[in-house]
Amino acid sequence: MLGELRLEGVASGLPCEVYWQPGPRSYTGGPQAEIHTLGCGPLLEAAVRTLCRAGARLAEPGEFTLRAFLSGRIDLTQAEAVLGVVDAVDGQQLAAALEQLAGGLAQPLQELRNRLFDLLVHLEAGLDFPEEDLPFLSRLELGRQLQEASEQLQNLAEQLQTRRMSDEGVTVVLVGRPNVGKSSLFNALLRRTQAIVSPCPGTTRDYLVGQLDAAGLRCRLVDTAGLDWVQVVSASGGIGEGEQGQMSVGAVSQQMSVRQVREADVLVWCVDGSQPMEPEEWAELVARGRAPRLVVLTKGDLPVRIDVEQLADQCGVGPIVTSSRTGQGLEELRSRLRETIEGLAATGGHAVWATAIRSAESIRLAEQALRRAITLGAETCPEELIAAEIRLALEEIGKVSGAVYTEDLLEQIFSRFCIGK
Ligand code: GDP
């Protein structure tokens, strides 16, 4: 519709086009109008003022997407993807969010839900109307179907992991002075001997990458060559610039380390607890980069020769004492990493992470419930008990798509949107 907007305080009418969508096929599922007019700030403000005087109000942050979700137009994973599209800072994040928006996870989950619902209906019909001659579902067939559903859930859980790895590449980087024990920690965390460990400083010449399990969350772990941290955070152009051919191996590896640190999502800053800290190391500790940082005191099996309290004071949080020899502190480090990564996902607008983390737990619980159902089925337990486990699995699966949701969850997701989305 072509027309004219008559605005308070503006003498002449403003040309505009109005696109009217009566619903239910609009974005929000309800009636919706879009006004297109000149993109001039003061005129747009006058238009909003005039519309508000006539009874309109400004949308709350995320309200459009919330309405779309509540009217069933999109599921929760897609709502999170909208946020991802808005917040994407690079092409990779945008591509991941768009793929999620297209419903990568929603459809297989919906199929699984339907399947489990059918099983449940079958079981419950048998319970409620035992005298009716209903088609009989043998325990063997029930077990087989539950087994298939449980495998599908496992596949989805794996897909989510891969998504986190490939699309997000959550990168945890080990940094610290040469010889503090980074490579040993890298090996201990990955439970294998990949990095070369040597008592000579500067053994790790470039960087190594492995897949780390941070208390159930998978991420990339990078072991860098020891580097001069102050230079990393203060140099705007980076250290070791110039023709690679003219640089020493050490300088090249320093440059690679600098890049790894800059691209890190989380830094694990390693300090050798068995050696007094050099004044420069204290200075490095105060310098801060962009990424959140965990401080680790290595070689915890040896007598501690640094002032841990002073270290905690400087860092604002107590260091995690680890030993790659005895395994001390490694589990704590994994769970602190998990917390830090989850914190990033919650605040950083990484939509796919957020969905992956939120969904992974539900999928895990659903899968556990199905496995219990399989065991109960095999033990000829009463069907009520099997039905209860299936119901539990359905509830967890429903949480992923938002078919089952709590006010808290909606608040958590939609409060991160900006106004007008
Ligand atoms: P990087 O240069 O920081 O990667 O350090 P490395 O991992 O190569 O370790 C340097 C030296 O410290 C090696 O001799 C290791 O055996 C030793 N080291 C590393 N971690 C530990 C530990 O937890 N306990 C003890 N006692 N020695 C360690």
Side-chain angles (χ1 to χ4, degrees), residues 48-371:
V48 170
R49 242 190 343 264
T50 308
L51 287 167
C52 286
R53 292 242 167 88
R57 70 165 171 80
L58 291 178
E60 299 291 334
E63 185 172 345
F64 275 78
T65 311
L66 178 61
R67 282 174 182 248
F69 165 69
L70 291 175
S71 70
R73 292 280 292 153
I74 58 174
D75 71 25
L76 258 197
T77 63
Q78 289 170 309
E80 282 172 314
V82 172
L83 179 63
V85 171
V86 175
D87 284 347
V89 292
D90 56 34
Q92 208 186 359
Q93 279 189 14
L94 182 63
L98 286 173
E99 188 196 310
Q100 179 168 322
L101 195 56
L105 195 64
Q107 207 206 337
L109 277 179
Q110 190 53 43
E111 283 168 16
L112 199 65
R113 245 170 94 78
N114 292 343
R115 201 167 158 181
L116 289 174
F117 257 128
D118 279 351
L119 276 183
L120 191 62
V121 167
H122 233 90
L123 279 178
E124 294 198 330
L127 288 171
D128 293 343
F129 310 102
E131 65 285 357
E132 300 280 327
D133 196 15
L134 291 165
F136 179 69
L137 184 69
S138 72
R139 282 291 171 106
L140 203 65
E141 177 59 15
L142 177 68
R144 198 188 59 75
Q145 295 218 23
L146 287 174
Q147 184 63 37
E148 261 180 43
S150 144
E151 279 163 17
Q152 264 175 303
L153 277 176
Q154 270 171 24
N155 284 342
L156 281 173
E158 268 164 33
Q159 266 177 36
L160 278 176
Q161 287 281 11
T162 321
R163 206 190 260 204
R164 274 204 294 258
M165 285 292 295
S166 58
D167 295 342
E168 314 308 314
V170 184
T171 303
V172 177
V173 178
L174 298 175
V175 274
R177 301 238 129 197
N179 230 25
V180 295
K182 296 179 297 299
S183 301
S184 306
L185 188 60
F186 179 85
N187 288 335
L189 284 169
L190 301 186
R191 301 186 181 103
R192 64 180 173 193
T193 318
Q194 180 174 3
I196 304 157
V197 177
S198 138
C200 328
T203 323
T204 314
R205 278 309 188 182
D206 48 10
Y207 62 90
L208 292 165
V209 183
Q211 282 190 13
L212 170 71
D213 176 354
L217 271 190
R218 231 191 289 167
C219 50
R220 289 173 77 226
L221 182 68
V222 178
D223 176 21
T224 58
L227 53 84
D228 188 336
W229 175 250
V230 171
Q231 288 196 54
V232 175
V233 288
S234 59
S236 52
I239 57 170
E241 287 193 331
E243 291 297 313
Q244 285 220 350
Q246 293 166 13
M247 286 162 46
S248 66
V249 177
V252 175
S253 69
Q254 281 275 303
Q255 194 185 45
M256 285 202 269
S257 299
V258 170
R259 181 147 30 91
Q260 289 304 320
V261 170
R262 287 222 178 102
E263 289 170 5
D265 294 303
V266 181
L267 293 174
V268 175
W269 202 74
C270 304
V271 179
D272 184 345
S274 69
Q275 301 283 337
M277 277 169 76
E278 302 288 328
E280 311 87 71
E281 215 176 345
W282 281 112
E284 290 167 7
L285 187 61
V286 182
R288 280 199 164 270
R290 171 191 61 85
R293 180 176 66 172
L294 293 177
V295 179
V296 161
L297 210 63
T298 58
K299 311 188 191 177
D301 54 296
L302 299 176
V304 177
R305 293 185 58 205
I306 70 166
D307 187 338
V308 180
E309 257 174 48
Q310 192 186 356
L311 187 65
D313 253 17
Q314 294 276 0
C315 310
V317 55
I320 306 158
V321 182
T322 65
S323 164
S324 308
R325 288 258 161 95
T326 64
Q328 176 194 354
L330 296 184
E331 288 319 304
E332 189 190 345
L333 177 56
R334 284 181 206 282
S335 55
R336 290 272 294 278
L337 275 172
R338 184 185 168 116
E339 276 165 30
T340 312
I341 294 169
E342 282 177 342
L344 272 181
T347 55
H350 284 267
V352 185
W353 269 2
T355 310
I357 290 170
R358 184 176 65 77
S359 312
E361 185 61 6
S362 289
I363 290 183
R364 192 178 65 81
L365 292 173
E367 215 248 314
Q368 277 180 1
L370 288 190
R371 263 194 270 129

